[in-house]
Amino acid sequence: MGRNLICQRRGLQQRHIQMIALAGTIGTGLFLGSGKAIARGGPLGALLGYSFVGVLVTGVVLSIAELSALLPLSGAIIRHAEHFVDPALSFAQGWNVVYSGMVSLPAELTAAAVIVQFWSTINSAIWITVFGILLIGSNLLFVRVYGEMEFTFASLKIMLIIGLNIMALIIVCGGGPDHHAYGFQYWRNPGPFVEYLGIKGDLGHFLGFWSSFGNAIYAYSGIENISIAAAETQSPRRNIPIAARRIFWRVCIFYILSIFMVGLIVPSNDPNLLHSTGNAAQSPFVIAAKRAGIKVVPSIINFVVLTSAWSAGNSVLLGSSRTLYGKSWETGMAREGHAPKIFLRTSRMGIPYVAVTFISMFIAFGYMTLSDGASVVFGWLQDLVSVAALIGWMVICTVYLRFYYGCKVQGIDRYELPWKAPFQPYAAWLSLVSFALLLLTGGYTVFIRGNWDNETFVSSYINIPIFIILYFGYKFIKKTKIIPLAEIPIRHFIAIANANPEAPAKPVVGWRRFNILWS
């Protein structure tokens, strides 16, 4: 399965895996998209939206972690769906992953173009072209330095989040250049919620709060890959549960705390927040620094956020192209006959250049900024990514529930598994039902009189029929059937796990204990 690539991925050192798992999913959804959440939902609405989605994605991570602890090398959710549900679901989810990459790539580049507008008024299309060429070049020529690049970018993001929260705390307490103690000033005026779409009263507040879910979903998209990164270590059955158990604290520290702090120092009616007006938009963290009169920090913040957008785009292109071709943690679509065989072609260095070129073609979506503002296009692409993420999370919960009830039917005690996730099956059910509701109501604004918008409707719902057609189309052509609960090969995989025990963990002392705490 692509020996060169697998050796490269397995060659990642422990420090690479830990840092990528810790900060790999933190990107423009937090640094840039959170501005729209505050503008639409207010500081409390955004905080609640990010908090609720954080709880729900924790259920997703717990589900995929229990599955991956049993089958750490068999191909993540794409292979789990094939073994525990239906090969047709595996096919549909595989293409959903590819589709997510197709829209995530231009989304990240468009976000980068939005960020660059802080310094330059040059047309966004030029910056999308420049960043796109750099991304393609790095994936075709410099992929072997992926680990070091992502380690550096992840380190920058962690330092930025810590620094931003410290800066926000100082400003709130009156330690900024203006020496004004903000406290909860902006929670009182303009208020904790926003009357969204001009709808007065509690209904407008609720709709504003509900609209923040879309931004939160985009920010958390890809967080399920934390357990996948842990699977690349030498002892995945031990490291996957460790990574899953720590997800809650990562969500609290990196996402919820950051949203809470920025909501204290940026009012929801600030005209520079990311409204869909087509104008240049800025990170709410940059706005906070400028409002406090800190002159140097905004450029530093924007630079790190820019590297975050480029890093996320790099990861998306690498991951989605390898899903087409084949990589160590997921079944290659082309290798399984789920995609044209042409995607199996590689260069002399083992780079699947056809798959990389195919995914790179969708960078062209970013050129919609020629007719609409970069922030508007970023909003459309953000919706597309969010819907793909919702469907992927629902698939994970569905596969896990099939696995869970398969254990029940076959009389398998979950204590026999390498790891038994807590709060199950309730966490999976809660996440599945909630994500289904969010999926169906994601574009609710278009159904309010006077607010119909073709682009919003398409970006909010187009992926639903695509996924249904993929699933039932493959099912009809290949005549696949849903695997009965009694026939799911759970015992077989337990036997494999028991026959291949992992070495005991080495004692951890000194600074390494602190390092592992955060990994």
Side-chain angles (χ1 to χ4, degrees):
M1 293 180 61
R3 175 173 295 182
N4 291 338
L5 178 63
I6 291 177
C7 290
Q8 168 207 326
R9 296 296 303 183
R10 289 180 177 171
L12 291 178
Q13 299 178 21
Q14 184 70 14
R15 65 185 181 90
H16 296 148
I17 294 295
Q18 290 180 354
M19 192 63 72
I20 293 171
L22 179 60
T25 58
I26 301 172
T28 54
L30 175 62
F31 294 127
L32 189 60
S34 56
K36 184 187 292 185
I38 295 174
R40 289 180 173 181
L44 181 55
L47 176 64
L48 291 175
Y50 275 72
S51 299
F52 288 165
V53 176
V55 171
L56 297 177
V57 296
T58 300
V60 173
V61 173
L62 291 176
S63 298
I64 188 63
E66 183 171 330
L67 294 172
S68 298
L70 179 62
L71 297 99
L73 303 176
S74 65
I77 195 60
I78 297 177
R79 286 304 291 266
H80 297 151
E82 180 180 355
H83 290 303
F84 299 147
V85 184
D86 185 349
L89 185 62
S90 174
F91 173 83
Q93 174 58 15
W95 277 107
N96 184 57
V97 172
V98 175
Y99 166 83
S100 178
M102 292 175 181
V103 293
S104 295
L105 186 58
E108 295 296 342
L109 293 183
T110 303
V114 171
I115 296 167
V116 172
Q117 287 178 351
F118 178 76
W119 298 291
S120 172
T121 58
I122 298 177
N123 193 295
S124 298
I126 295 177
W127 294 113
I128 291 174
T129 302
V130 171
F131 292 133
I133 292 174
L134 291 174
L135 279 182
I136 295 172
S138 67
N139 273 264
L140 291 177
L141 302 175
F142 306 110
V143 71
R144 294 185 183 277
V145 298
Y146 171 83
E148 291 298 336
M149 290 170 55
E150 290 303 307
F151 179 85
T152 301
F153 291 142
S155 301
L156 288 175
K157 285 188 284 188
I158 292 175
M159 289 188 291
L160 176 62
I161 289 178
I162 294 174
L164 289 177
N165 285 314
I166 294 175
M167 179 193 74
L169 180 61
I170 293 175
I171 293 174
V172 167
C173 296
D178 57 1
H179 300 294
H180 175 69
Y182 288 85
F184 284 83
Q185 169 183 328
Y186 296 133
W187 284 51
R188 294 187 294 269
N189 182 27
F193 293 100
V194 171
E195 293 180 336
Y196 190 49
L197 299 177
I199 300 175
K200 302 296 182 180
D202 292 339
L203 178 59
H205 294 163
F206 175 79
L207 294 179
F209 152 70
W210 197 263
S211 68
S212 68
F213 283 128
N215 304 97
I217 292 166
Y218 178 76
Y220 287 115
S221 61
I223 199 169
E224 69 277 7
N225 293 332
I226 288 177
S227 61
I228 295 175
E232 292 299 302
T233 60
Q234 293 182 349
S235 302
R237 292 190 176 94
R238 182 172 64 249
N239 290 319
I240 288 174
I242 293 174
R245 284 193 294 264
R246 291 171 181 160
I247 182 62
F248 177 78
W249 301 111
R250 292 174 184 171
V251 166
C252 289
I253 294 173
F254 291 137
Y255 290 91
I256 298 177
L257 178 61
S258 297
I259 291 294
F260 171 71
M261 295 304 297
V262 77
L264 292 176
I265 53 180
V266 179
S268 59
N269 59 359
D270 189 297
N272 290 316
L273 285 175
L274 189 55
H275 293 285
S276 295
T277 59
N279 299 322
Q282 298 173 348
S283 164
F285 300 96
V286 172
I287 297 173
K290 291 177 66 177
R291 291 180 66 93
I294 304 175
K295 297 181 179 180
V296 179
V297 171
S299 292
I300 297 175
I301 295 173
N302 259 340
F303 172 75
V304 178
V305 175
L306 182 62
T307 65
S308 172
W310 191 89
S311 168
N314 190 41
S315 299
V316 165
L317 182 54
L318 182 76
S320 54
S321 62
R322 270 50 174 190
T323 298
L324 273 176
Y325 165 70
K327 60 184 180 182
S328 60
W329 62 62
E330 288 185 351
T331 303
M333 300 290 290
R335 292 187 177 278
E336 293 294 311
H338 294 170
K341 295 296 183 183
I342 191 174
F343 291 122
L344 293 176
R345 294 186 180 181
T346 61
S347 66
R348 288 179 295 178
M349 296 184 294
I351 307 299
Y353 64 92
V354 176
V356 171
T357 302
F358 174 74
I359 300 297
S360 300
M361 292 170 57
F362 292 88
I363 293 175
F365 281 159
Y367 292 120
M368 290 188 292
T369 55
L370 293 174
S371 58
D372 295 277
S375 62
V376 177
V377 175
F378 176 64
W380 295 341
L381 294 172
Q382 176 179 292
D383 290 340
L384 292 171
V385 175
S386 297
V387 174
L390 281 174
I391 291 178
W393 293 340
M394 291 171 63
V395 169
I396 290 175
C397 293
T398 300
V399 172
Y400 176 80
L401 290 171
R402 288 277 303 174
F403 167 78
Y404 178 89
Y405 290 110
C407 290
K408 290 281 189 181
V409 170
Q410 298 178 30
I412 299 174
D413 193 322
R414 288 174 61 229
Y415 285 101
E416 298 180 44
L417 304 173
W419 183 60
K420 174 179 173 288
F423 311 118
Q424 297 290 18
Y426 310 108
W429 273 116
L430 176 63
S431 297
L432 177 60
V433 173
S434 300
F435 288 142
L437 179 62
L438 291 175
L439 179 65
L440 295 177
T441 60
Y444 77 90
T445 56
V446 301
F447 301 109
I448 298 176
R449 180 175 297 179
N451 286 281
W452 177 263
D453 182 76
N454 294 332
E455 290 83 0
T456 299
F457 177 79
V458 171
S459 62
S460 299
Y461 296 109
I462 186 63
N463 199 22
I464 298 177
I466 290 176
F467 190 86
I468 292 174
I469 292 172
L470 287 171
Y471 176 76
F472 286 102
Y474 187 87
K475 193 173 186 66
F476 175 77
I477 294 173
K478 297 294 185 178
K479 309 298 181 184
T480 64
K481 296 181 179 180
I482 297 177
I483 303 171
L485 293 175
E487 297 179 15
I488 297 176
I490 302 174
R491 283 287 183 194
H492 171 69
F493 294 121
I494 292 177
I496 293 177
N498 292 335
N500 296 273
E502 294 179 348
K506 296 180 180 180
V508 179
V509 295
W511 67 270
R512 290 184 59 204
R513 184 181 300 277
F514 177 80
N515 184 38
I516 290 180
L517 174 64
W518 284 92
S519 68

